[in-house]
Structures are given as C-alpha cells and as structure tokens.
Amino acid sequence: MTRQISVGNVKIGGGAPISVQSMCNTPTQDVEATVSQIERLEAAGCDIIRVAVPDTEAANAVAEIKKRVRLPLVADIHFDYRLALASIDGGADKVRLNPGNIGSFDRVRAVARACEARKIPIRVGVNSGSVERELLAKYGGPTAEAMVESALGHVRLLEDVGFSDICISVKSSTVARTIEAYRLLSSKCDYPLHLGVTEAGTEYMGTVNSAVGIGTLLSEGIGDTIRVSLTADPEREVEAGIAILKAAGKRSGGLRLISCPTCGRTQIDLVSLAHEVEKRLKGCRRDITVAVMGCVVNGPGEAREADFGVAGGVGEGLLFKKGEIVKKLPYESLADGLMELIGEE
C-alpha cells in the first residue's frame, strides 16, 4: 500500500478512494472564466482541479480562485520557484513542480518549507518529453527506465531537504511505455501515484488510450489518482475518468447504463433511443442500472436484471421495473415512458 497525502479534503493513497482530476484550459488570470469552468467540472464529478501558473498574473489569481471554489486547487509550476511560493501563499492545496527545474538547493528548500508550513504536497511529474538529456543519452531515448530515474532524481532533491509529502507521475504518450513506467516506479517506491497517458489524443482516441493505460494499471492495483488527458472539453476528461474507474471496478454506485450493439434482429432505432436515454440521464446521480435493449433474444433478460429497462420489439418496446413488465409502448414513446418510470422513485 502507498503512503497517503492530503490535497485539501481529498486523500490520495493509503487505500483512499481513487480520485479523478482534470486541468482548466482557461487562462488562469481570467478568474471568472476559470471559476465557472471549475464549477462545471465539480458538477461533472471532478475531485481535484489543476490550473496553469505560467506567470505572476496567474499566480496572483490563485488566491481569488481559491476563495470561490470548493474543489482542491493544484498550481502547475514550471521553472520559476517564485510562482510556486506565490501560489502557496494564495492558498493552493498542492503544487505540481519538478524541483530539478527550479534552480539551486536553496530554491528547492524554500518551496519545500513553504509547502511544509501549509501542509500541502508536491507532485513530481515526469513526461516522456521532459526527461533530461543525459538520461536520454544513457537509455537511448525516453524509455520507462529513463522516466523513472528522472522522477526519482527529482524526488531525492525533495527528500534531501527533508520533504516527503510527495505524489509522482510518469506519463508517456505511448500506452505501453506508460504502463511499463508505472509498473517499474511502483516497484521502487511507496509514494502515491498519479496515473495518466499524456497527450492521449482527441476525445475518442484519447479515451481509448487512457482506458487501456489507466485501466490496465488500476486492474493491477497500481494508481491512487487519475487524470484523463484529452484534446477536448475538460468535462469530457472527468466523465471518461469516472467511466474508467467504474469499468475497472474501482468505483461503485451512480448511474450504470447498458445497451446492446444491435443486430439484424433489431426492429427499432435502438442507436437513437440509447443516445436519447443517455442524454436525458446525464445529470443523474442515483445508484441505478438502466438497460436499453434491442430485441426479444437478450433484451428482456438484461432489462429484467436492471432497475429500469426497455426491450424493443417490432416498432414498439416493453418497459421493465425491478424485473417486472410495466407496460408496452410504441417506439416514439419509449424514451418518455422510460424517463417517467425512472422519475417515479
């Protein structure tokens, strides 16, 4: 089991529930836009949110953002230790920073002491594109071994100043290399691990890559918090992250929608019906299973197993509740009928 750290009121590691993170894509200095996006991400189920801090203006905005949001706030710092100190003073709940990139021993110690005083952790985050040149030469490229050695080198700088409230990530844009790196890192330390496939891609491919990479590691018991990186609205990252946790058996409860892939037996427009039901249930936080099935072969059985369900026929369908047939409706009324049935409870 890994050590445990606290990011605001969220625990990471040590057997705590696996949290879902995302990162704002608004300019951090635009406080209104950033706060608005964080509120939407919270509504989508995000547990921890990160903002970029590339300059003093962004660092100064951290304090105002922190006052107005409920989610734990992480400041993402590159190179300038003064931005880290300003963000910490502004109330950041965690700092993402590689100490080897901020200069002297004194600067590393200053940041570590500031974090220690506020009882906030530091995430050391190494990507395949950030591995030091000497390690690239040593290993012949950004291999899993190179990323892990780089990450542990940054960690040692913090340990040398007596700081150990640390989380680590070693992300690659290559799924196989990501898996290999986290497996290796997990064998070498007990710090909590932040999982992700970096630069995973657009919403479709990025979700596939992240599901394979993150899901494989979670199934092996590796990982304490996750971020799905998508070239898409950050809300999609959160939705994908939650779905990955559920599929990996690491999060229970909430809505579960099941639907069949259709075949030649299907005699209703099941694809449209399933999408309509999914759309209408998007904000549902109830712990229920809803089945949308296409025909009489598997449909009734699956629908009966769900809390609520519909099984298609010839231009019509049967509605089920707790395994019992409730009524038969024409196709055009199935979505409305199912929503009304779900809304009765």
Side-chain angles (χ1 to χ4, degrees), residues 66-230:
K66 177 60 183 171
K67 288 178 194 172
R68 295 174 55 182
V69 301
R70 290 180 290 268
L71 290 182
L73 189 65
V74 181
D76 193 273
I77 310 295
H78 292 276
F79 308 117
D80 193 338
Y81 82 107
R82 293 168 298 183
L83 299 179
L85 295 176
S87 299
I88 294 164
D89 286 342
D93 296 293
K94 182 171 128 184
V95 173
R96 191 274 196 187
L97 171 147
N98 288 349
N101 295 339
I102 63 172
S104 68
F105 178 85
D106 288 341
R107 293 178 179 182
V108 175
R109 182 167 55 191
V111 173
R113 291 291 174 267
C115 288
E116 199 169 49
R118 298 293 183 97
K119 294 182 169 52
I120 67 173
I122 293 173
R123 172 162 73 92
V124 168
V126 170
N127 293 343
S128 53
S130 67
V131 177
E132 297 87 341
R133 257 182 264 173
E134 57 270 25
L135 291 177
L136 294 175
K138 176 180 177 180
Y139 290 101
T143 63
E145 293 81 3
M147 287 195 292
V148 170
E149 184 169 333
S150 175
L152 294 179
H154 288 296
V155 167
R156 276 192 296 276
L157 292 174
L158 293 174
E159 292 173 336
D160 287 346
V161 297
F163 189 84
S164 60
D165 199 7
I166 299 167
C167 183
I168 310 175
S169 64
V170 282
K171 303 179 183 180
S172 171
S173 57
T174 303
V175 174
R177 186 179 296 152
T178 295
I179 294 170
E180 185 183 359
Y182 277 105
R183 283 172 175 164
L184 180 60
L185 181 60
S186 178
S187 73
K188 289 181 174 290
C189 73
D190 64 352
Y191 287 113
L193 301 183
H194 168 122
L195 300 187
V197 177
T198 194
E199 298 149 3
T202 57
E203 184 172 356
Y204 173 73
M205 278 310 303
T207 299
V208 172
N209 288 331
S210 297
V212 174
I214 295 172
T216 297
L217 291 163
L218 291 175
S219 70
E220 296 176 4
I222 297 171
D224 303 284
T225 185
I226 69 172
R227 190 257 174 122
V228 175
S229 299
L230 301 178

Side-chain angles (χ1 to χ4, degrees), residues 9-10 20-24 33-50 65-73 233-239 242 251 282-285:
N9 60 359
V10 176
V20 174
Q21 304 195 25
S22 187
M23 186 172 183
C24 288
T34 301
V35 168
S36 177
Q37 185 170 73
I38 291 172
E39 289 172 345
R40 293 195 301 274
L41 288 164
E42 181 183 17
C46 187
D47 298 306
I48 299 170
I49 186 63
R50 179 161 44 114
I65 294 168
K66 177 60 183 171
K67 288 178 194 172
R68 295 174 55 182
V69 301
R70 290 180 290 268
L71 290 182
L73 189 65
D233 189 311
E235 290 177 61
R236 304 287 86 78
E237 296 185 349
V238 174
E239 292 166 3
I242 293 171
R251 181 174 291 195
K282 185 175 181 181
C284 180
R285 296 287 180 261

